[in-house]
Each structure stands twice: as structure tokens, then as C-alpha cells.
Amino acid sequence: MSNQVIKVSKEAMKAMQQHYARSLLSKKPPYTEFAAKVNGLTITAYSSGKVMFQGQGAEQEAARWGTNSTTPAKKKAQTGVLPEGFANWSVIGSDEVGNGSYFGPVTVCAAYVNNANIPLLKKLGVRDSKELQDVQIRKLAEVIKETIPYQLLIVPPKKYNEIQPKYNAVHMKVALHNQAIYLLLNKIAPEKPDAILIDQFTPEANYKKYVRNEQHQVKEKLYFITKGEQYHLAVAAASIVSRAAFLEELDKASEELGFKAPSGAGNTADLAAAKVLQKGGRTLLANYAKLHFTNTEKAEKIVARQK
Ligand code: MN
């Protein structure tokens, strides 16, 4: 079965949706604009602009609409952000997960994708984790870990709460990305990557300011770009591994607590935190949640109301 992914503009995607209007599926998967089935060929259009063609004739059908997905990255590179052909370089990519979630750790992963491994990773289905569901992310993470060198760092809530007063969230992320990359560079030595791509979370100057406090500073060949997973598979792989680790830690927390530790920082987090507070106060909550979030106060108010 062939499989083809292209990247299209918003306008092109609208035109496609009209073109396939008669073949649209009533159910559309998360993060998609539409899904259609034409003569056994499945077409899935993601909100990110990527369109996947799966099944017989995928290549021909995709060719009607555009070229393959490496094109936009190259285009962008020509505007001066990343060098041309970057998607095919040997790259260490890094990404983090959990920073915006009240419950659970912050996880950071750096992954090394050698140019020779790019086709294999594509074949394995490594791509932007926003296009993947949690089940797929967990499975893919296992495969990635067996296939390429990586360095995963996990900061459990307890440790996070100890560090947080000294390190703001950005500073902490800089330290973690730097450390993961440094350790991975040592793992793959004497091999050296062509570049290191960090999924950007702060302006470059800010990153460089904070990294000066670190004992082992990685400063060479650094590139920063938002939505990094779209520019190199190394970031996509790092993102999948860190997301899977985050989910696994949340699972462990849920098991220990006897109820679900939710992801995110919304109302469900407040309610779950209130339950933890009732069980063991802030001391217990410190093991599971990032206490400096406003969720803590909200949870305390819920508890006070119930008394
Ligand atoms: Mn990121």
C-alpha cells in the first residue's frame, strides 16, 4: 500500500475539500479539516496543511495537488530561517512536553537522526505528533527508542517544585534542552551532527542568555524554529518520545492516586487536585502537580467550600 503526504495552502485545502465533496467521510479524525475515501484511496487533510493519501494510486492522486512534504521546509529555508536542504541533514532535534500541564512532569528529549535513517523513520510513521493519537505516540516512541540514539530527561513534579523558585519555566527548559543535547552528543561521539534543532520556546537571545549559567554549554550549530517537527524528523522523534514519557508518568500518578491525573491545566485539574489535597494536603500534591500554577489555589478553595 502506498502512502503519500503533501503540504498545501489553506486555499488549496478548501479546493480539495470541494473537489472531494461527494466522497467525504462523516467522521473526521482529530486535527483534521476533512477525510475522504475515493475508490479505496483514503485522503486525510490535517489542519496543519498536510494531506495524506493512503492506498492504491496515492502517488498519482497526490500529484494532482502538489509535491511531497519536504517542499515547504525548503521554501522556508530559502527565506533565511534554516539552510536549504536542512530536512535531509543529520540532526539532533529536541523538544519538551508537560510544561503547560498542572499534573505530571516536564519531559525533554533530544534525538539524533542521521541522514541515513530518515527514510526508515518515515517508513515507521514518525511525523508531527500533533497528527498522532496517544496510542500511536506510545507505540512509535518504543520503536524510535530502539532505532535511534536519544536522551530523555524527566523532571517529576516533586523535583520541579524544588527547582521552580530558583529557575523560571523558560530557564528550566533551557537547562534541560542543553543537558539532553550535551548528553546525547557524548553518546553519539565521535559522530557529530550537521546541526542541532531546538523546537523554539523562547527567543534565541534568551536561550543563549540562560545557557550561560550551565556547566556544560552546547553552543555550536544551534538552530531554533517553532513547529520544529515540521522541519526535521529529529524534532518529530524527540517530540514523540517526550510526549510518551509524559503520558506514562501521568499513568503512574493516576495509578498511585486511584483516580485519573488529568493532562492540562483546566477545571478537571482543579477538581483532581482538590481530591489529592483532601487525601494528603500540599505535601502529597507536591508529588503530582506543579504547585506554582493557579490551579493550586483554586483546588484549595474547592476543599474549603466542601468543609
Ligand atoms: Mn515544543
Side-chain angles (χ1 to χ4, degrees), residues 16-24 36 38 43 53 61 65:
M16 290 178 81
Q17 191 164 359
Q18 280 172 6
H19 177 86
Y20 296 117
R22 288 185 183 186
S23 320
L24 294 181
V38 189
I43 301 154
F53 297 80
E61 191 66 21
W65 301 100

Side-chain angles (χ1 to χ4, degrees), residues 105-108 152-157 159 176 245-246 248-249 252:
V106 171
T107 59
V108 174
L152 174 67
L153 298 175
I154 301 175
V155 184
K159 183 140 181 238
L176 290 166
F246 172 79
E248 201 175 301
E249 292 296 309
K252 276 190 220 159

Side-chain angles (χ1 to χ4, degrees), residues 225-247:
I225 197 157
T226 53
K227 298 187 179 157
E229 51 270 77
Q230 296 178 8
Y231 296 87
H232 202 284
L233 278 183
V235 179
S239 165
I240 290 168
V241 171
S242 41
R243 172 102 192 131
F246 172 79
L247 292 171

Side-chain angles (χ1 to χ4, degrees), residues 178-237:
N178 177 74
Q179 180 71 0
I181 294 163
Y182 171 76
L183 294 172
L184 183 56
L185 280 169
N186 285 342
K187 270 188 195 171
I188 66 170
E191 189 168 340
K192 284 192 170 125
D194 299 326
I196 297 164
L197 181 62
I198 297 174
D199 188 39
Q200 190 161 15
F201 53 87
T202 189
E204 189 173 339
N206 222 15
Y207 184 97
K208 291 188 168 158
K209 180 185 88 184
Y210 284 123
V211 92
R212 270 184 237 131
N213 302 314
E214 293 308 300
Q215 198 188 348
H216 306 286
Q217 299 167 26
V218 181
K219 291 193 275 195
E220 277 170 34
K221 301 181 185 171
L222 285 185
Y223 293 84
F224 301 83
I225 197 157
T226 53
K227 298 187 179 157
E229 51 270 77
Q230 296 178 8
Y231 296 87
H232 202 284
L233 278 183
V235 179

